[in-house]
């Protein structure tokens, strides 16, 4: 039977980042993915590498600071995959957030980025507002420009895996973890690959199964408790409308949530929604209500492209992903977006990850590798994780 130091379950961005960090630290690592690399949430995000300006409103300052530091690192380490992009925030007479609030938020954002050059923001003179093609000008009081970054989430995850493989990572796709027996000093993991049941002995296991994290925990023996979570679907629509050069940060005309209108491969991408799910389908799909909601907001700001029926004819694609949020009272929009790492005293060699952001996968990976070192000891380092270039 094969023996590894670390077995990672899940080939999304978190599993990939942890596997890369651990392989760089000299551990023997295997990663199991039930589908293919980045087939789920990590291919269906809003594709932003960002601090998350809107998280300032819910007081998540440490998360924003951490995300901005990760943004800086990724712009340096993956320049062909993560690139700066301007954001525009139009403020109207009836906007919930006043120009003063936006200016205060952007100043705090710049401060939390430790005055990174990307932290610069400005008010766009009214003479230039019409350069944002099609944007409603009636009632417009101010337009602010600031900077964040965009990526192709699936390509980024694949690039992390490609790099980790050069450090010895073994990846098995179409391999579903079916059970984990937690022994005194290791875990015995079973997985199904090509209709055959396999076994691997792992000194430590990281459960990075994204929305399926608790399903994986249900297969653990002796049994252990799972964190109460909620699944919240987020959808995006792609319209056959030539994109603006930056991202529009818009306040929903229905419920004042923030949605983005983004350039994506030359076309216009709109997202996202927040729809609580009661069960997890293999491939969630965009509901008619979500389509109406997103097109309704787009039409409110870009009425020159026709009514909802005309916009539906220009719909060329859609996708959705599932967020894992801690189960709490209140709106999903205001829930914490930080990653939760859970290890139980009865199962010290098994760590489960809940939630998080694409942007912060490197910080999460470093923290998990600290836990790994504390749990199974250090190895001879192969490479400096802080310097691993991605292409
Ligand atoms: C709509 C939406 C928009 C978002 N936008 C952004 C954004 O713009 N910026 C940002 O920073 N973050 C964003 N996020 C958050 C970010 O996308 C996620 O935090 C991140 O992709 C989660 O990655 P993951 O690796 O934890 O999960 P996933 O990518 O879901 O990976 C988990 C993997 O585990 C596999 N798996 C499950 N069970 C098993 C099993 N038993 N055996 C083997 N494999 C298994 C699955 O197939 C899957 O590939 C967004 C999230 C959503 C839903």
């Amino acid at each position: 039977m094969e023996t590894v130091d670390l077995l990672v379950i899940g080939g999304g961005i978190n599993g990939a980042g942890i596997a890369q960090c651990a392989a760089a630290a000299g551990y023997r690592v295997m990663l199991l993915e039930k589908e293919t690399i980045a087939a789920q949430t990590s291919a269906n995000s809003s594709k932003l590498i960002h601090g998350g300006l809107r998280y300032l409103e819910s007081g998540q300052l440490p998360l924003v600071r951490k995300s901005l530091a990760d943004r800086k690192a990724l712009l340096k380490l993956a320049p062909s995959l993560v690139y700066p992009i301007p954001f525009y925030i139009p403020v109207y007479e009836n906007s919930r957030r006043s120009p003063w609030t936006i200016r205060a938020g952007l100043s705090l954002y710049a401060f939390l980025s430790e005055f990174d050059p990307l932290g610069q923001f400005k008010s766009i003179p009214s003479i230039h507002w019409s350069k944002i093609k099609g944007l409603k000008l009636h009632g417009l009081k101010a337009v602010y420009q600031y900077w964040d970054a965009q990526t192709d989430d699936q390509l980024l995850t694949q690039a992390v895996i490609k790099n980790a493989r050069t450090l010895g990572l073994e990846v098995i796709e179409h391999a579903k973890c079916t059970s984990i027996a937690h022994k005194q000093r290791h875990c015995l993991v079973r997985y199904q690959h090509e209709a055959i049941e396999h076994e691997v002995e792992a000194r430590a296991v990281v459960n990075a199964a994204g929305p399926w994290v608790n399903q994986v925990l249900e297969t653990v023996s002796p049994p252990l408790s799972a964190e109460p979570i909620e699944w919240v679907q987020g959808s995006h629509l792609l319209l056959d409308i030539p994109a603006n050069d930056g991202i529009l940060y818009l306040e929903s005309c229905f419920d004042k949530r923030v949605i983005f209108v983004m350039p994506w491969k030359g076309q216009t991408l709109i997202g996202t929604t927040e729809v609580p799910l009661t069960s997890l389908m293999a491939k969630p799909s965009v509901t008619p209500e979500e389509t109406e909601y997103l097109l309704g907001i787009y039409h409110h700001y870009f009425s020159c492209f026709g009514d909802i029926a005309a916009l539906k004819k220009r719909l060329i694609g859609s996708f959705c992903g599932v967020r894992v949020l801690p189960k709490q009272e209140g709106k999903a929009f205001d829930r914490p977006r930080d990653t939760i790492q859970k290890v139980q005293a009865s199962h010290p060699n098994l760590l489960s990850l809940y939630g998080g952001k694409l942007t912060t996968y490197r910080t999460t990976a470093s923290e998990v590798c600290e836990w790994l070192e504390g749990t199974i000891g250090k190895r001879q380092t192969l490479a400096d994780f802080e310097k691993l270039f991605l292409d």
Side-chain angles (χ1 to χ4, degrees):
M1 191 197 322
E2 197 166 351
T3 301
V4 296
D5 290 321
L6 175 67
L7 184 100
V8 178
I9 302 161
I13 191 69
N14 280 317
I18 291 162
Q20 184 200 30
C21 188
Y27 295 99
R28 182 151 185 235
V29 190
M30 179 190 275
L31 183 146
L32 303 179
E33 167 52 56
K34 70 178 166 66
E35 299 178 34
T36 50
I37 294 303
Q40 291 290 343
T41 330
S42 303
N44 295 309
S45 76
S46 299
K47 308 174 194 310
L48 302 177
I49 297 297
H50 64 155
L53 183 63
R54 73 174 191 77
Y55 301 131
L56 294 178
E57 285 184 329
S58 46
Q60 300 183 60
L61 269 56
L63 172 67
V64 175
R65 183 194 287 273
K66 180 165 73 177
S67 305
L68 288 168
D70 277 317
R71 180 188 74 178
K72 189 174 182 179
L74 278 168
L75 283 163
K76 199 171 91 197
L77 294 173
S80 64
L81 292 158
V82 179
Y83 40 88
I85 186 162
F87 277 62
Y88 299 98
I89 312 181
V91 187
Y92 292 86
E93 275 158 9
N94 60 351
S95 293
R96 195 184 86 187
R97 300 158 183 95
S98 67
W100 185 89
T101 311
I102 300 293
R103 190 172 272 281
L106 289 172
S107 304
L108 180 56
Y109 204 59
F111 174 75
L112 292 172
S113 77
E114 295 176 353
F115 300 106
D116 182 312
L118 231 52
Q120 288 173 14
F121 70 91
K122 62 182 181 192
S123 171
I124 304 278
S126 55
I127 182 177
H128 296 311
W129 293 351
S130 57
K131 286 189 185 157
I132 304 175
K133 283 180 277 278
L135 181 70
K136 177 174 91 144
L137 297 178
H138 181 73
L140 191 56
K141 283 198 328 199
V143 177
Y144 286 96
Q145 186 208 54
Y146 74 103
W147 291 83
D148 252 318
Q150 195 179 33
T151 189
D152 182 322
D153 44 5
Q154 191 170 38
L155 289 185
L156 178 68
T157 308
Q158 288 167 349
V160 174
I161 290 286
K162 186 175 116 189
N163 179 271
R165 279 185 198 264
T166 67
L167 298 163
L169 168 70
E170 185 182 353
V171 178
I172 313 183
E173 292 180 305
H174 305 291
K176 181 176 178 180
C177 167
T178 51
S179 73
I180 304 169
H182 196 286
K183 310 281 180 193
Q184 202 114 46
R185 298 180 144 265
H186 68 273
C187 296
L188 200 61
V189 179
R190 287 211 170 87
Y191 63 95
Q192 190 100 32
H193 178 56
E194 294 173 345
I196 297 170
E197 184 104 319
H198 299 260
E199 251 184 8
V200 55
E201 194 179 283
R203 294 187 179 92
V205 173
V206 170
N207 171 8
W212 294 269
V213 55
N214 283 348
Q215 265 101 325
V216 168
L217 284 187
E218 279 167 18
T219 72
V220 176
S221 63
L224 79 181
S225 61
E227 285 285 298
I229 57 168
E230 219 173 292
W231 296 303
V232 179
Q233 168 166 315
S235 295
H236 291 82
L237 304 178
L238 188 64
L239 295 180
D240 179 19
I241 293 178
N244 270 298
D245 72 341
I247 296 183
L248 268 292
Y249 184 108
L250 301 175
E251 198 173 275
S252 157
C253 50
F254 302 119
D255 54 10
K256 304 289 179 192
R257 284 179 64 251
V258 172
I259 71 139
F260 298 115
V261 171
M262 302 164 270
W264 186 246
K265 301 190 173 158
Q267 309 291 43
T268 296
L269 184 67
I270 317 170
T272 179
T273 55
E274 277 167 323
V275 180
L277 298 178
T278 47
S279 64
L280 205 53
M281 284 169 284
K283 276 275 173 242
S285 58
V286 182
T287 65
E289 292 77 21
E290 287 178 294
T291 303
E292 293 289 328
Y293 173 84
L294 291 173
L295 292 183
I297 299 167
Y298 185 76
H299 173 66
H300 177 83
Y301 289 101
F302 292 91
S303 56
C304 66
F305 294 111
D307 59 12
I308 307 278
L311 290 174
K312 278 187 183 161
K313 290 197 185 124
R314 301 182 82 164
L315 202 51
I316 50 172
S318 65
F319 58 86
C320 59
V322 177
R323 293 182 192 86
V324 177
L325 297 182
K327 206 177 177 85
Q328 284 176 3
E329 291 299 313
K331 290 189 205 141
F333 194 61
D334 300 324
R335 253 20 111 63
R337 297 298 158 104
D338 224 339
T339 317
I340 299 170
Q341 295 158 30
K342 182 107 178 154
V343 182
Q344 297 186 29
S346 56
H347 296 67
N349 296 17
L350 169 63
L351 182 147
S352 296
L353 274 189
Y354 290 86
K357 292 176 67 187
L358 185 75
T359 308
T360 50
Y361 84 85
R362 299 186 80 261
T363 299
T364 301
S366 299
E367 290 169 1
V368 170
C369 283
E370 269 175 40
W371 163 81
L372 185 63
E373 189 183 320
T375 306
I376 66 168
K378 214 171 153 53
R379 300 287 184 274
Q380 180 79 45
T381 303
L382 288 187
D384 182 353
F385 181 58
E386 300 305 323
K387 296 192 180 139
L388 293 176
F389 199 76
L390 299 175
D391 53 18

